Amino acid sequence: MEQFFLYSAVALTIIIAVPMYRVVKGPTIFDRMLATNAIATKTIVLICLIGFIFGRIDMFIDITLAYAILGFIGALIVAKYLSSEKAKLKREEVTHD
Amino acid sequence: MTELQIIFSVIFVLLGILFMLAGSIGMLRLPDFYSRTHAVSKSDTLGIIFVISGLVIYEGFTQSGLKLLLIVLFIALSNPIGTHALARAAIQKGVKPFFSEKSAEDNQ
């Protein structure tokens, strides 16, 4: 069963690497933020799988909880900042192509 | 650890990885920001719920299993909230949808 979790973790790593393209190339700044949010939420599952591979899920589950809360707070704060008046975005950062 | 537990755990993890793969392909292929939010908020949330539910079935009724259930609850609440906040910020800053009237005029 650890073998199966190992293979799923490898597949999940490849899936996590895909939105990096959107982080680098995304036309607006919101696309970049959305892609980093997607990477953060999938990393939660990856940490859980690593805990099962090592057989130490009782330790890794606490890391996962802290990581989930940190990622959620970070995404909310950045969204709040981007919608406020202080964020003066350039025109290329808002319009598409 | 019964056979049935292992079979259901494998099925749930594979289903979740399939949904997350769909979400990642949607991040690449969809045309504008508002349609990409669908790929992140819906299919990613469902995929994460499936994978962690499979891990809960494998773990059984222990303390770690209860914490994994808490993570499922937290993800189901927090991922759509974060995506919704980003989409609202984008609307307030004036990001145009792909099929808005102005972009339809541009395409003609």
Side-chain angles (χ1 to χ4, degrees):
Chain A
M1 200 63 189
E2 274 76 20
Q3 286 281 312
F4 171 71
F5 284 144
L6 186 61
Y7 291 141
S8 350
V10 170
L12 198 59
T13 312
I14 296 169
I15 290 173
I16 286 173
V18 170
M20 277 311 278
Y21 172 81
R22 202 43 82 186
V23 174
V24 174
K25 198 170 171 295
T28 72
I29 194 167
F30 300 102
D31 286 306
R32 298 169 209 264
M33 203 52 223
L34 193 71
T36 43
N37 199 6
I39 291 174
T41 47
K42 280 172 201 153
T43 310
I44 294 167
V45 181
L46 186 62
I47 297 173
C48 280
L49 282 174
I50 288 173
F52 273 99
I53 291 166
F54 286 156
R56 295 286 308 275
I57 188 61
D58 49 345
M59 182 183 77
F60 276 90
I61 197 79
D62 296 334
I63 302 173
T64 309
L65 271 169
Y67 191 82
I69 294 169
L70 268 179
F72 174 54
I73 299 290
L76 269 192
I77 295 295
V78 172
K80 182 100 177 152
Y81 168 70
L82 284 178
S83 68
S84 70
E85 296 292 324
K86 287 179 198 161
K88 293 189 173 57
L89 306 179
K90 282 180 278 184
R91 196 173 174 280
E92 311 89 77
E93 285 172 341
V94 173
T95 53
H96 278 278
D97 56 49
Chain B
M1 190 70 55
T2 61
E3 286 289 320
L4 203 64
Q5 236 175 335
I6 290 178
I7 290 170
F8 271 100
S9 162
V10 167
I11 288 174
F12 270 52
V13 170
L14 284 182
L15 260 180
I17 283 181
L18 203 68
F19 273 106
M20 279 196 267
L21 181 67
S24 281
I25 294 174
M27 281 300 288
L28 279 190
R29 296 288 298 163
L30 287 174
D32 73 331
F33 171 73
Y34 297 106
S35 42
R36 277 175 214 135
T37 54
H38 287 269
V40 173
S41 75
K42 288 183 204 162
S43 57
D44 268 8
T45 309
L46 191 60
I48 290 169
I49 288 174
F50 265 128
V51 172
I52 299 188
S53 304
L55 295 183
V56 169
I57 293 170
Y58 180 75
E59 174 72 22
F61 195 73
T62 61
Q63 192 187 6
S64 306
L66 282 180
K67 282 184 184 173
L68 280 170
L69 276 180
L70 270 183
I71 286 183
V72 168
L73 193 67
F74 184 75
I75 293 292
L77 285 177
S78 76
N79 204 5
I81 289 176
T83 316
H84 175 259
L86 265 178
R88 206 178 59 164
I91 268 194
Q92 283 177 359
K93 281 296 170 181
V95 177
K96 288 277 183 295
F98 186 64
F99 290 115
S100 67
E101 292 174 8
K102 187 171 177 306
S103 61
E105 286 170 7
D106 289 345
N107 289 337
Q108 280 170 4

